Amino acid sequence: MKRFENRVVLITGGGTGIGKATATAFVSEGAKVIITGRRQNVLEETTKKLGEQTCFIVGDVSKKGEAKRIIDETIEKFGQLDVLVNGAGTGAMGPLSETSDEVIESTFQTNVFGPLALIREAAPYLIESKGNVINITSVMSKGVMAGSAMYAASKAALDHVTRCLAAEYGSSGVRVNAVAPGLTATDITAELRKDEQMLGIFVAQTPMGRLGEPIDIAKTVLLLAGDEAGWVTGQVVQAGGGLML
Ligand SMILES: NC(=O)c1ccc[n+]([C@@H]2O[C@H](COP(=O)([O-])OP(=O)(O)OC[C@H]3O[C@@H](n4cnc5c(N)ncnc54)[C@H](OP(=O)(O)O)[C@@H]3O)[C@@H](O)[C@H]2O)c1
C-alpha cells in the first residue's frame, strides 16, 4: 500500500511551482489531490498531467468567503480531508517607499488571512481524519534583507500561526507544521533569477551551493505530512540548503 493511499490532500497554489511538485509527489504516493489557484487554464493543464486522482477548484484565497467554498467543494468531491497544504503565496519585493497600501494588503490577505481562514474551515474535517496542515512559509521570515519587509513579515506571521495553531489543535489530534523554502526555481523568483549578480549572492549564501528545485520542497512537505512525523507539530522546517539558518 502506498504511503498516502485513501488520503485526500488539498493544495492551494497547486497549479505551478512548489504546489505542483507537491501535488505530483502526493499523487505518486497514492493520494487524491485537489489543487487550487486563480487561473483556470493553468489548473486544467496541471490536472491533465497528474491524471484522474486529481481535480481542481478555481479560487482566490485572498478573498473573504473563498476558504469556506473551497473546503465545502473539497468535501463534496471526496467526502474527507486529510492534509491541507497552504501553498498559495505572493512575494513582491522592493523598497517600502515604492510599496502601495494595496500591495501590502493583498500580500497579507494571500499569505496570512487566506491560510488562517482555510485552516479554520478545514479544521472540523481534519479533526475527523486526525489530519494535518502544512503551511509554506519562507526562510526570509528569519533573514534580514533590505526590500523584504512586507514579504518577510507576512511569512513570519505564518510561521507564528503555525506554532499557535499547533497548540490550539493538538488536543484534537491535528498537527500543524510549516516548510520554509530557500530560493527555489519557480515563477515567483523568475525576475530575481534573471539578475545574475543577485542570483550569485543567494547561491553564495546557500551552504549547499545551489538553487532549490520544487521537488526539494515537495519531499519535505511529504515527510512532515506523513505518519512518520506523527509526533511533530508546531515546527517550521527550513528546506533551503542552509540559506538563512
Ligand atoms: N520559489 C521560492 O524561492 C520560494 C521561497 C520561499 C517561499 N516560497 C513560497 O512558496 C509558495 C509557492 O510559490 P512558488 O515558488 O511555487 O511560486 P509560484 O509558482 O508562483 O506559485 C504561487 C502559486 O500561488 C497561487 N496564488 C497566488 N496568489 C493566489 C491567490 N490570491 N489565490 C489563490 N492562489 C494564489 C498561484 O496561482 P494563480 O496565480 O493561478 O492564482 C501559484 O500557483 C508561496 O507561498 C511562496 O511564497 C517560494
mmCIF file of all heavy atoms in Angstrom, residues 114-168:
data_model
loop_
_atom_site.group_PDB
_atom_site.id
_atom_site.type_symbol
_atom_site.label_atom_id
_atom_site.label_comp_id
_atom_site.label_asym_id
_atom_site.label_seq_id
_atom_site.Cartn_x
_atom_site.Cartn_y
_atom_site.Cartn_z
ATOM 1 N N GLY A 114 -5.703 34.296 4.180
ATOM 2 C CA GLY A 114 -6.207 33.125 3.445
ATOM 3 C C GLY A 114 -5.902 31.823 4.183
ATOM 4 O O GLY A 114 -6.814 31.032 4.468
ATOM 5 N N PRO A 115 -4.627 31.554 4.510
ATOM 6 C CA PRO A 115 -4.303 30.332 5.252
ATOM 7 C C PRO A 115 -5.058 30.218 6.579
ATOM 8 O O PRO A 115 -5.536 29.128 6.938
ATOM 9 C CB PRO A 115 -2.792 30.457 5.484
ATOM 10 C CG PRO A 115 -2.308 31.252 4.309
ATOM 11 C CD PRO A 115 -3.404 32.237 4.010
ATOM 12 N N LEU A 116 -5.205 31.347 7.309
ATOM 13 C CA LEU A 116 -5.953 31.286 8.585
ATOM 14 C C LEU A 116 -7.390 30.824 8.338
ATOM 15 O O LEU A 116 -7.907 29.937 9.037
ATOM 16 C CB LEU A 116 -5.989 32.670 9.249
ATOM 17 C CG LEU A 116 -4.804 33.058 10.131
ATOM 18 C CD1 LEU A 116 -4.859 34.549 10.470
ATOM 19 C CD2 LEU A 116 -4.779 32.242 11.423
ATOM 20 N N ALA A 117 -8.036 31.438 7.342
ATOM 21 C CA ALA A 117 -9.439 31.092 7.054
ATOM 22 C C ALA A 117 -9.546 29.645 6.564
ATOM 23 O O ALA A 117 -10.476 28.914 6.939
ATOM 24 C CB ALA A 117 -10.010 32.055 6.013
ATOM 25 N N LEU A 118 -8.592 29.222 5.746
ATOM 26 C CA LEU A 118 -8.628 27.835 5.230
ATOM 27 C C LEU A 118 -8.464 26.826 6.364
ATOM 28 O O LEU A 118 -9.174 25.817 6.413
ATOM 29 C CB LEU A 118 -7.544 27.636 4.172
ATOM 30 C CG LEU A 118 -7.948 28.130 2.790
ATOM 31 C CD1 LEU A 118 -6.745 28.546 1.974
ATOM 32 C CD2 LEU A 118 -8.759 27.066 2.039
ATOM 33 N N ILE A 119 -7.550 27.113 7.293
ATOM 34 C CA ILE A 119 -7.356 26.180 8.417
ATOM 35 C C ILE A 119 -8.626 26.141 9.270
ATOM 36 O O ILE A 119 -9.085 25.070 9.676
ATOM 37 C CB ILE A 119 -6.122 26.563 9.267
ATOM 38 C CG1 ILE A 119 -4.847 26.484 8.413
ATOM 39 C CG2 ILE A 119 -5.997 25.634 10.485
ATOM 40 C CD1 ILE A 119 -3.593 27.092 9.061
ATOM 41 N N ARG A 120 -9.223 27.308 9.508
ATOM 42 C CA ARG A 120 -10.465 27.348 10.308
ATOM 43 C C ARG A 120 -11.555 26.507 9.659
ATOM 44 O O ARG A 120 -12.219 25.700 10.315
ATOM 45 C CB ARG A 120 -10.937 28.808 10.443
ATOM 46 C CG ARG A 120 -12.187 28.950 11.294
ATOM 47 C CD ARG A 120 -12.733 30.366 11.206
ATOM 48 N NE ARG A 120 -13.153 30.672 9.845
ATOM 49 C CZ ARG A 120 -13.048 31.886 9.270
ATOM 50 N NH1 ARG A 120 -12.553 32.895 9.939
ATOM 51 N NH2 ARG A 120 -13.460 32.074 8.028
ATOM 52 N N GLU A 121 -11.746 26.675 8.353
ATOM 53 C CA GLU A 121 -12.816 25.942 7.663
ATOM 54 C C GLU A 121 -12.504 24.448 7.539
ATOM 55 O O GLU A 121 -13.406 23.612 7.518
ATOM 56 C CB GLU A 121 -13.067 26.544 6.280
ATOM 57 C CG GLU A 121 -13.520 27.993 6.292
ATOM 58 C CD GLU A 121 -14.770 28.234 7.132
ATOM 59 O OE1 GLU A 121 -15.662 27.352 7.170
ATOM 60 O OE2 GLU A 121 -14.851 29.311 7.762
ATOM 61 N N ALA A 122 -11.199 24.134 7.428
ATOM 62 C CA ALA A 122 -10.802 22.725 7.261
ATOM 63 C C ALA A 122 -10.801 21.970 8.583
ATOM 64 O O ALA A 122 -10.896 20.724 8.595
ATOM 65 C CB ALA A 122 -9.400 22.657 6.635
ATOM 66 N N ALA A 123 -10.689 22.706 9.694
ATOM 67 C CA ALA A 123 -10.454 22.069 10.994
ATOM 68 C C ALA A 123 -11.446 20.946 11.343
ATOM 69 O O ALA A 123 -11.015 19.861 11.763
ATOM 70 C CB ALA A 123 -10.414 23.128 12.092
ATOM 71 N N PRO A 124 -12.762 21.141 11.171
ATOM 72 C CA PRO A 124 -13.680 20.054 11.554
ATOM 73 C C PRO A 124 -13.375 18.747 10.821
ATOM 74 O O PRO A 124 -13.484 17.670 11.407
ATOM 75 C CB PRO A 124 -15.055 20.586 11.138
ATOM 76 C CG PRO A 124 -14.894 22.054 11.052
ATOM 77 C CD PRO A 124 -13.471 22.329 10.688
ATOM 78 N N TYR A 125 -12.975 18.855 9.556
ATOM 79 C CA TYR A 125 -12.696 17.652 8.748
ATOM 80 C C TYR A 125 -11.333 17.061 9.113
ATOM 81 O O TYR A 125 -11.164 15.841 9.108
ATOM 82 C CB TYR A 125 -12.785 17.999 7.254
ATOM 83 C CG TYR A 125 -14.109 18.640 6.936
ATOM 84 C CD1 TYR A 125 -14.221 20.015 6.731
ATOM 85 C CD2 TYR A 125 -15.282 17.876 6.930
ATOM 86 C CE1 TYR A 125 -15.445 20.617 6.507
ATOM 87 C CE2 TYR A 125 -16.519 18.482 6.705
ATOM 88 C CZ TYR A 125 -16.589 19.846 6.499
ATOM 89 O OH TYR A 125 -17.811 20.437 6.289
ATOM 90 N N LEU A 126 -10.375 17.938 9.428
ATOM 91 C CA LEU A 126 -9.049 17.458 9.842
ATOM 92 C C LEU A 126 -9.134 16.786 11.211
ATOM 93 O O LEU A 126 -8.427 15.812 11.481
ATOM 94 C CB LEU A 126 -8.036 18.620 9.864
ATOM 95 C CG LEU A 126 -7.717 19.238 8.501
ATOM 96 C CD1 LEU A 126 -6.836 20.485 8.668
ATOM 97 C CD2 LEU A 126 -7.019 18.225 7.588
ATOM 98 N N ILE A 127 -10.005 17.287 12.059
ATOM 99 C CA ILE A 127 -10.194 16.659 13.379
ATOM 100 C C ILE A 127 -10.775 15.251 13.178
ATOM 101 O O ILE A 127 -10.344 14.286 13.810
ATOM 102 C CB ILE A 127 -11.110 17.543 14.272
ATOM 103 C CG1 ILE A 127 -10.350 18.813 14.685
ATOM 104 C CG2 ILE A 127 -11.604 16.763 15.499
ATOM 105 C CD1 ILE A 127 -11.203 19.892 15.333
ATOM 106 N N GLU A 128 -11.726 15.154 12.247
ATOM 107 C CA GLU A 128 -12.336 13.844 11.957
ATOM 108 C C GLU A 128 -11.301 12.842 11.442
ATOM 109 O O GLU A 128 -11.304 11.674 11.811
ATOM 110 C CB GLU A 128 -13.397 14.054 10.878
ATOM 111 C CG GLU A 128 -14.634 13.195 11.042
ATOM 112 C CD GLU A 128 -15.688 13.648 10.043
ATOM 113 O OE1 GLU A 128 -16.209 14.776 10.194
ATOM 114 O OE2 GLU A 128 -15.954 12.883 9.093
ATOM 115 N N SER A 129 -10.396 13.320 10.567
ATOM 116 C CA SER A 129 -9.421 12.404 9.938
ATOM 117 C C SER A 129 -8.109 12.317 10.715
ATOM 118 O O SER A 129 -7.218 11.584 10.322
ATOM 119 C CB SER A 129 -9.116 12.876 8.506
ATOM 120 O OG SER A 129 -8.487 14.144 8.527
ATOM 121 N N LYS A 130 -7.992 13.111 11.817
ATOM 122 C CA LYS A 130 -6.693 13.247 12.536
ATOM 123 C C LYS A 130 -5.607 13.633 11.528
ATOM 124 O O LYS A 130 -4.527 13.042 11.457
ATOM 125 C CB LYS A 130 -6.321 11.951 13.271
ATOM 126 C CG LYS A 130 -7.350 11.518 14.307
ATOM 127 C CD LYS A 130 -7.209 12.311 15.594
ATOM 128 C CE LYS A 130 -8.263 11.980 16.649
ATOM 129 N NZ LYS A 130 -9.437 12.854 16.613
ATOM 130 N N GLY A 131 -5.948 14.651 10.747
ATOM 131 C CA GLY A 131 -5.086 15.069 9.645
ATOM 132 C C GLY A 131 -4.082 16.130 10.051
ATOM 133 O O GLY A 131 -3.831 16.341 11.245
ATOM 134 N N ASN A 132 -3.530 16.783 9.065
ATOM 135 C CA ASN A 132 -2.538 17.816 9.386
ATOM 136 C C ASN A 132 -2.471 18.917 8.335
ATOM 137 O O ASN A 132 -2.978 18.768 7.224
ATOM 138 C CB ASN A 132 -1.162 17.198 9.659
ATOM 139 C CG ASN A 132 -0.514 16.616 8.426
ATOM 140 O OD1 ASN A 132 0.165 17.310 7.664
ATOM 141 N ND2 ASN A 132 -0.732 15.315 8.201
ATOM 142 N N VAL A 133 -1.847 20.023 8.759
ATOM 143 C CA VAL A 133 -1.699 21.207 7.903
ATOM 144 C C VAL A 133 -0.210 21.456 7.678
ATOM 145 O O VAL A 133 0.585 21.319 8.607
ATOM 146 C CB VAL A 133 -2.284 22.465 8.606
ATOM 147 C CG1 VAL A 133 -2.057 23.721 7.755
ATOM 148 C CG2 VAL A 133 -3.755 22.288 8.943
ATOM 149 N N ILE A 134 0.136 21.802 6.428
ATOM 150 C CA ILE A 134 1.499 22.262 6.140
ATOM 151 C C ILE A 134 1.384 23.659 5.512
ATOM 152 O O ILE A 134 0.771 23.819 4.451
ATOM 153 C CB ILE A 134 2.229 21.340 5.121
ATOM 154 C CG1 ILE A 134 2.164 19.857 5.519
ATOM 155 C CG2 ILE A 134 3.666 21.834 4.931
ATOM 156 C CD1 ILE A 134 3.023 19.426 6.653
ATOM 157 N N ASN A 135 1.948 24.644 6.191
ATOM 158 C CA ASN A 135 1.996 25.996 5.636
ATOM 159 C C ASN A 135 3.337 26.195 4.939
ATOM 160 O O ASN A 135 4.386 25.859 5.495
ATOM 161 C CB ASN A 135 1.869 27.030 6.771
ATOM 162 C CG ASN A 135 0.508 26.973 7.445
ATOM 163 O OD1 ASN A 135 -0.519 26.847 6.779
ATOM 164 N ND2 ASN A 135 0.487 27.051 8.767
ATOM 165 N N ILE A 136 3.286 26.743 3.728
ATOM 166 C CA ILE A 136 4.547 27.054 3.039
ATOM 167 C C ILE A 136 4.923 28.494 3.398
ATOM 168 O O ILE A 136 4.245 29.438 2.984
ATOM 169 C CB ILE A 136 4.433 26.881 1.504
ATOM 170 C CG1 ILE A 136 3.916 25.474 1.144
ATOM 171 C CG2 ILE A 136 5.802 27.147 0.854
ATOM 172 C CD1 ILE A 136 4.781 24.305 1.575
ATOM 173 N N THR A 137 5.985 28.624 4.183
ATOM 174 C CA THR A 137 6.411 29.969 4.591
ATOM 175 C C THR A 137 7.658 30.337 3.777
ATOM 176 O O THR A 137 7.650 30.185 2.564
ATOM 177 C CB THR A 137 6.593 30.045 6.125
ATOM 178 O OG1 THR A 137 7.648 29.197 6.547
ATOM 179 C CG2 THR A 137 5.320 29.647 6.833
ATOM 180 N N SER A 138 8.744 30.751 4.422
ATOM 181 C CA SER A 138 9.956 31.103 3.675
ATOM 182 C C SER A 138 11.117 31.276 4.643
ATOM 183 O O SER A 138 10.908 31.721 5.782
ATOM 184 C CB SER A 138 9.744 32.425 2.925
ATOM 185 O OG SER A 138 10.966 32.882 2.391
ATOM 186 N N VAL A 139 12.328 30.995 4.201
ATOM 187 C CA VAL A 139 13.491 31.286 5.052
ATOM 188 C C VAL A 139 13.617 32.794 5.278
ATOM 189 O O VAL A 139 14.251 33.232 6.235
ATOM 190 C CB VAL A 139 14.823 30.736 4.472
ATOM 191 C CG1 VAL A 139 14.806 29.227 4.354
ATOM 192 C CG2 VAL A 139 15.169 31.381 3.135
ATOM 193 N N MET A 140 12.967 33.583 4.397
ATOM 194 C CA MET A 140 13.023 35.042 4.542
ATOM 195 C C MET A 140 12.403 35.506 5.857
ATOM 196 O O MET A 140 12.666 36.613 6.304
ATOM 197 C CB MET A 140 12.267 35.713 3.388
ATOM 198 C CG MET A 140 12.834 35.437 2.020
ATOM 199 S SD MET A 140 14.349 36.322 1.707
ATOM 200 C CE MET A 140 13.698 37.918 1.359
ATOM 201 N N SER A 141 11.560 34.675 6.444
ATOM 202 C CA SER A 141 10.916 35.086 7.698
ATOM 203 C C SER A 141 11.948 35.187 8.826
ATOM 204 O O SER A 141 11.690 35.808 9.839
ATOM 205 C CB SER A 141 9.797 34.117 8.077
ATOM 206 O OG SER A 141 10.336 32.859 8.397
ATOM 207 N N LYS A 142 13.106 34.560 8.659
ATOM 208 C CA LYS A 142 14.164 34.656 9.672
ATOM 209 C C LYS A 142 15.285 35.596 9.230
ATOM 210 O O LYS A 142 15.973 36.171 10.047
ATOM 211 C CB LYS A 142 14.759 33.264 9.939
ATOM 212 C CG LYS A 142 13.916 32.425 10.873
ATOM 213 C CD LYS A 142 14.513 31.059 11.073
ATOM 214 C CE LYS A 142 15.557 31.034 12.174
ATOM 215 N NZ LYS A 142 16.195 29.690 12.285
ATOM 216 N N GLY A 143 15.451 35.722 7.920
ATOM 217 C CA GLY A 143 16.551 36.539 7.412
ATOM 218 C C GLY A 143 16.208 38.015 7.452
ATOM 219 O O GLY A 143 15.033 38.402 7.528
ATOM 220 N N VAL A 144 17.230 38.849 7.408
ATOM 221 C CA VAL A 144 17.015 40.297 7.382
ATOM 222 C C VAL A 144 17.673 40.844 6.126
ATOM 223 O O VAL A 144 18.882 40.716 5.940
ATOM 224 C CB VAL A 144 17.625 40.962 8.637
ATOM 225 C CG1 VAL A 144 17.538 42.478 8.526
ATOM 226 C CG2 VAL A 144 16.921 40.479 9.896
ATOM 227 N N MET A 145 16.822 41.405 5.249
ATOM 228 C CA MET A 145 17.327 41.875 3.963
ATOM 229 C C MET A 145 16.550 43.108 3.545
ATOM 230 O O MET A 145 15.305 43.098 3.633
ATOM 231 C CB MET A 145 17.082 40.747 2.940
ATOM 232 C CG MET A 145 18.112 40.639 1.857
ATOM 233 S SD MET A 145 17.666 39.253 0.795
ATOM 234 C CE MET A 145 16.656 40.094 -0.404
ATOM 235 N N ALA A 146 17.244 44.161 3.113
ATOM 236 C CA ALA A 146 16.547 45.356 2.631
ATOM 237 C C ALA A 146 15.618 44.962 1.491
ATOM 238 O O ALA A 146 15.969 44.114 0.667
ATOM 239 C CB ALA A 146 17.569 46.379 2.165
ATOM 240 N N GLY A 147 14.435 45.561 1.466
ATOM 241 C CA GLY A 147 13.485 45.288 0.379
ATOM 242 C C GLY A 147 12.579 44.101 0.634
ATOM 243 O O GLY A 147 11.747 43.763 -0.203
ATOM 244 N N SER A 148 12.739 43.457 1.799
ATOM 245 C CA SER A 148 11.953 42.238 2.026
ATOM 246 C C SER A 148 10.907 42.400 3.126
ATOM 247 O O SER A 148 10.218 41.435 3.456
ATOM 248 C CB SER A 148 12.885 41.072 2.386
ATOM 249 O OG SER A 148 13.370 41.233 3.706
ATOM 250 N N ALA A 149 10.801 43.605 3.709
ATOM 251 C CA ALA A 149 9.998 43.766 4.942
ATOM 252 C C ALA A 149 8.580 43.211 4.808
ATOM 253 O O ALA A 149 8.127 42.435 5.660
ATOM 254 C CB ALA A 149 9.941 45.237 5.339
ATOM 255 N N MET A 150 7.884 43.571 3.734
ATOM 256 C CA MET A 150 6.475 43.176 3.621
ATOM 257 C C MET A 150 6.345 41.658 3.462
ATOM 258 O O MET A 150 5.599 41.009 4.199
ATOM 259 C CB MET A 150 5.859 43.880 2.414
ATOM 260 C CG MET A 150 4.423 43.498 2.173
ATOM 261 S SD MET A 150 3.877 44.175 0.611
ATOM 262 C CE MET A 150 4.866 43.266 -0.556
ATOM 263 N N TYR A 151 7.091 41.089 2.527
ATOM 264 C CA TYR A 151 7.002 39.639 2.279
ATOM 265 C C TYR A 151 7.485 38.860 3.495
ATOM 266 O O TYR A 151 6.823 37.934 3.956
ATOM 267 C CB TYR A 151 7.852 39.289 1.050
ATOM 268 C CG TYR A 151 7.890 37.814 0.727
ATOM 269 C CD1 TYR A 151 6.752 37.153 0.271
ATOM 270 C CD2 TYR A 151 9.065 37.075 0.862
ATOM 271 C CE1 TYR A 151 6.795 35.795 -0.035
ATOM 272 C CE2 TYR A 151 9.107 35.722 0.555
ATOM 273 C CZ TYR A 151 7.973 35.088 0.115
ATOM 274 O OH TYR A 151 8.001 33.745 -0.184
ATOM 275 N N ALA A 152 8.654 39.255 4.033
ATOM 276 C CA ALA A 152 9.231 38.515 5.162
ATOM 277 C C ALA A 152 8.299 38.576 6.372
ATOM 278 O O ALA A 152 8.118 37.568 7.075
ATOM 279 C CB ALA A 152 10.607 39.080 5.503
ATOM 280 N N ALA A 153 7.689 39.742 6.601
ATOM 281 C CA ALA A 153 6.786 39.870 7.754
ATOM 282 C C ALA A 153 5.553 38.992 7.574
ATOM 283 O O ALA A 153 5.060 38.380 8.534
ATOM 284 C CB ALA A 153 6.375 41.329 7.935
ATOM 285 N N SER A 154 5.065 38.891 6.341
ATOM 286 C CA SER A 154 3.872 38.049 6.110
ATOM 287 C C SER A 154 4.217 36.574 6.359
ATOM 288 O O SER A 154 3.416 35.822 6.923
ATOM 289 C CB SER A 154 3.308 38.258 4.699
ATOM 290 O OG SER A 154 4.126 37.627 3.722
ATOM 291 N N LYS A 155 5.413 36.168 5.968
ATOM 292 C CA LYS A 155 5.809 34.764 6.173
ATOM 293 C C LYS A 155 6.144 34.506 7.648
ATOM 294 O O LYS A 155 5.903 33.411 8.165
ATOM 295 C CB LYS A 155 6.990 34.411 5.264
ATOM 296 C CG LYS A 155 6.625 34.406 3.781
ATOM 297 C CD LYS A 155 5.566 33.350 3.469
ATOM 298 C CE LYS A 155 5.337 33.183 1.985
ATOM 299 N NZ LYS A 155 4.358 32.127 1.663
ATOM 300 N N ALA A 156 6.702 35.524 8.340
ATOM 301 C CA ALA A 156 6.957 35.370 9.775
ATOM 302 C C ALA A 156 5.630 35.215 10.519
ATOM 303 O O ALA A 156 5.521 34.432 11.474
ATOM 304 C CB ALA A 156 7.728 36.572 10.302
ATOM 305 N N ALA A 157 4.610 35.949 10.053
ATOM 306 C CA ALA A 157 3.278 35.817 10.665
ATOM 307 C C ALA A 157 2.773 34.383 10.476
ATOM 308 O O ALA A 157 2.220 33.770 11.407
ATOM 309 C CB ALA A 157 2.312 36.824 10.038
ATOM 310 N N LEU A 158 2.989 33.833 9.294
ATOM 311 C CA LEU A 158 2.501 32.469 9.024
ATOM 312 C C LEU A 158 3.295 31.428 9.839
ATOM 313 O O LEU A 158 2.737 30.423 10.274
ATOM 314 C CB LEU A 158 2.557 32.178 7.517
ATOM 315 C CG LEU A 158 1.832 30.918 7.032
ATOM 316 C CD1 LEU A 158 0.365 30.877 7.477
ATOM 317 C CD2 LEU A 158 1.922 30.793 5.509
ATOM 318 N N ASP A 159 4.577 31.694 10.065
ATOM 319 C CA ASP A 159 5.351 30.820 10.970
ATOM 320 C C ASP A 159 4.683 30.783 12.348
ATOM 321 O O ASP A 159 4.542 29.719 12.962
ATOM 322 C CB ASP A 159 6.777 31.368 11.172
ATOM 323 C CG ASP A 159 7.743 31.004 10.050
ATOM 324 O OD1 ASP A 159 7.344 30.291 9.111
ATOM 325 O OD2 ASP A 159 8.904 31.451 10.126
ATOM 326 N N HIS A 160 4.290 31.956 12.832
ATOM 327 C CA HIS A 160 3.734 32.008 14.198
ATOM 328 C C HIS A 160 2.309 31.446 14.249
ATOM 329 O O HIS A 160 1.913 30.834 15.244
ATOM 330 C CB HIS A 160 3.806 33.428 14.757
ATOM 331 C CG HIS A 160 3.900 33.427 16.256
ATOM 332 N ND1 HIS A 160 4.848 32.696 16.947
ATOM 333 C CD2 HIS A 160 3.128 34.012 17.202
ATOM 334 C CE1 HIS A 160 4.667 32.844 18.249
ATOM 335 N NE2 HIS A 160 3.620 33.638 18.426
ATOM 336 N N VAL A 161 1.569 31.652 13.155
ATOM 337 C CA VAL A 161 0.257 30.983 13.031
ATOM 338 C C VAL A 161 0.458 29.472 13.206
ATOM 339 O O VAL A 161 -0.307 28.793 13.893
ATOM 340 C CB VAL A 161 -0.360 31.290 11.635
ATOM 341 C CG1 VAL A 161 -1.452 30.301 11.269
ATOM 342 C CG2 VAL A 161 -0.888 32.721 11.577
ATOM 343 N N THR A 162 1.517 28.961 12.592
ATOM 344 C CA THR A 162 1.811 27.515 12.650
ATOM 345 C C THR A 162 1.990 27.058 14.094
ATOM 346 O O THR A 162 1.396 26.059 14.520
ATOM 347 C CB THR A 162 3.103 27.227 11.831
ATOM 348 O OG1 THR A 162 2.902 27.690 10.495
ATOM 349 C CG2 THR A 162 3.454 25.755 11.836
ATOM 350 N N ARG A 163 2.785 27.795 14.854
ATOM 351 C CA ARG A 163 3.044 27.398 16.251
ATOM 352 C C ARG A 163 1.786 27.534 17.102
ATOM 353 O O ARG A 163 1.435 26.630 17.873
ATOM 354 C CB ARG A 163 4.178 28.247 16.836
ATOM 355 C CG ARG A 163 5.549 27.920 16.251
ATOM 356 C CD ARG A 163 6.645 28.739 16.916
ATOM 357 N NE ARG A 163 6.660 30.110 16.432
ATOM 358 C CZ ARG A 163 7.420 30.535 15.410
ATOM 359 N NH1 ARG A 163 8.231 29.705 14.795
ATOM 360 N NH2 ARG A 163 7.371 31.793 15.026
ATOM 361 N N CYS A 164 1.074 28.655 16.953
ATOM 362 C CA CYS A 164 -0.110 28.887 17.808
ATOM 363 C C CYS A 164 -1.214 27.884 17.494
ATOM 364 O O CYS A 164 -1.896 27.399 18.398
ATOM 365 C CB CYS A 164 -0.634 30.309 17.623
ATOM 366 S SG CYS A 164 0.519 31.544 18.252
ATOM 367 N N LEU A 165 -1.401 27.565 16.205
ATOM 368 C CA LEU A 165 -2.483 26.619 15.872
ATOM 369 C C LEU A 165 -2.090 25.180 16.196
ATOM 370 O O LEU A 165 -2.961 24.347 16.454
ATOM 371 C CB LEU A 165 -2.912 26.771 14.411
ATOM 372 C CG LEU A 165 -3.628 28.096 14.119
ATOM 373 C CD1 LEU A 165 -4.085 28.153 12.665
ATOM 374 C CD2 LEU A 165 -4.807 28.351 15.049
ATOM 375 N N ALA A 166 -0.789 24.905 16.233
ATOM 376 C CA ALA A 166 -0.359 23.580 16.709
ATOM 377 C C ALA A 166 -0.794 23.419 18.162
ATOM 378 O O ALA A 166 -1.269 22.346 18.571
ATOM 379 C CB ALA A 166 1.157 23.436 16.583
ATOM 380 N N ALA A 167 -0.665 24.496 18.933
ATOM 381 C CA ALA A 167 -1.095 24.460 20.341
ATOM 382 C C ALA A 167 -2.620 24.326 20.423
ATOM 383 O O ALA A 167 -3.151 23.591 21.256
ATOM 384 C CB ALA A 167 -0.629 25.722 21.056
ATOM 385 N N GLU A 168 -3.317 25.033 19.534
ATOM 386 C CA GLU A 168 -4.789 25.048 19.593
ATOM 387 C C GLU A 168 -5.414 23.720 19.173
ATOM 388 O O GLU A 168 -6.396 23.272 19.753
ATOM 389 C CB GLU A 168 -5.285 26.185 18.695
ATOM 390 C CG GLU A 168 -6.745 26.525 18.880
ATOM 391 C CD GLU A 168 -7.055 27.909 18.307
ATOM 392 O OE1 GLU A 168 -6.197 28.813 18.378
ATOM 393 O OE2 GLU A 168 -8.166 28.079 17.790
#
